[in-house]
Amino acid sequence: MNVKLFGEFFVTLLVIVDPPGMVPVFLALTGAMQAKARNRAGTQAVLLALGVIIGFAVAGQTLLDYLHVELPALQAAGGLLLVLVALQLLTGKTDEPAEQAGTSNVALVPIGTPLLAGPGAIVATMLFVQRAESTDEYLLLAAAILAVMACVWLVLRFSGLIVRLLRPAGIEVLTRIAGLLLAAIAVQLIADAVFAFVQSHAGMV
């Protein structure tokens, strides 16, 4: 068994998903929810992210080729979506969707994707799948994905402790900070996508 491949992929995906870094954004989007609803949102987000990552691992390159979509386009789309979420956090307009639309909207977008199953996680998964050469290695990559998602679920599951410590005023401040950080991540994603487009098409000009 290629334990080294498992370790490399587990660490890479864990760093990209960044469970501790997800906590501020998760709390900003779900801080007004009851504990059960927040836990349900975390579970839904992790399940969606797991499905998206496995889906791209199995048929990602085929799907992108069929749609004639390059990876930088996927990255830019994720960045634009995050910009919209960041603006909601910065302007304090997140409470209404959380209360009226239930947990599913927030859990699926933007937490499940593109925050957890974002362009970085998708690209890393596709690259490691291309490196795998046997059924055992494919199973190791699947185990690594499950292990990372389990870590994310545990972090989100116990984020309620932070909510009780921060109180409403603290959540409000955390929401603004999370919006600023999310805006920076979105701009970086778009900038990287533009750079990748320019680099890939430079030779064609």
Side-chain angles (χ1 to χ4, degrees):
M1 294 181 67
N2 193 345
V3 180
K4 181 181 178 183
L5 180 66
F6 173 87
E8 288 180 359
F9 184 46
F10 175 81
V11 172
T12 300
L13 190 59
L14 190 67
V15 170
I16 291 174
V17 174
D18 187 19
M22 272 297 304
V23 172
V25 179
F26 179 73
L27 292 181
L29 293 170
T30 63
M33 297 178 181
Q34 298 294 327
K36 285 186 177 180
R38 185 167 55 250
N39 292 337
R40 186 165 61 250
T43 301
Q44 289 175 343
V46 169
L47 290 176
L48 174 66
L50 179 63
V52 170
I53 291 176
I54 290 178
F56 273 93
V58 173
Q61 193 60 55
T62 302
L63 177 62
L64 293 182
D65 290 342
Y66 177 77
L67 296 175
H68 304 290
V69 174
E70 298 180 14
L71 287 176
L74 184 66
Q75 189 170 356
L80 290 174
L81 182 57
L82 290 184
V83 167
L84 297 176
V85 178
L87 290 176
Q88 289 182 340
L89 293 177
L90 288 170
T91 56
K93 295 181 179 179
T94 59
D95 291 341
E96 183 178 349
E99 292 295 332
Q100 294 184 3
T103 64
S104 59
N105 287 347
V106 174
L108 303 183
V109 179
I111 299 173
T113 182
L115 288 178
L116 292 178
I122 289 171
V123 172
T125 300
M126 291 170 62
L127 291 176
F128 272 93
V129 167
Q130 291 175 5
R131 285 176 51 186
E133 299 177 350
S134 66
T135 303
D136 288 343
E137 292 185 345
Y138 287 126
L139 292 176
L140 282 176
L141 294 180
I145 294 172
L146 291 173
V148 170
M149 289 298 110
C151 292
V152 173
W153 182 82
L154 286 173
V155 170
L156 298 184
R157 176 65 177 79
F158 292 102
S159 62
L161 298 174
I162 302 176
V163 172
R164 289 196 289 272
L165 291 173
L166 291 177
R167 308 287 181 158
I171 292 294
E172 183 73 16
V173 174
L174 190 63
T175 298
R176 300 298 184 267
I177 295 174
L180 182 61
L181 294 175
L182 203 57
I185 293 172
V187 171
Q188 186 64 56
L189 281 175
I190 296 172
D192 290 344
V194 171
F195 179 76
F197 267 124
V198 172
Q199 195 173 37
S200 63
H201 293 284
M204 301 179 183
V205 179

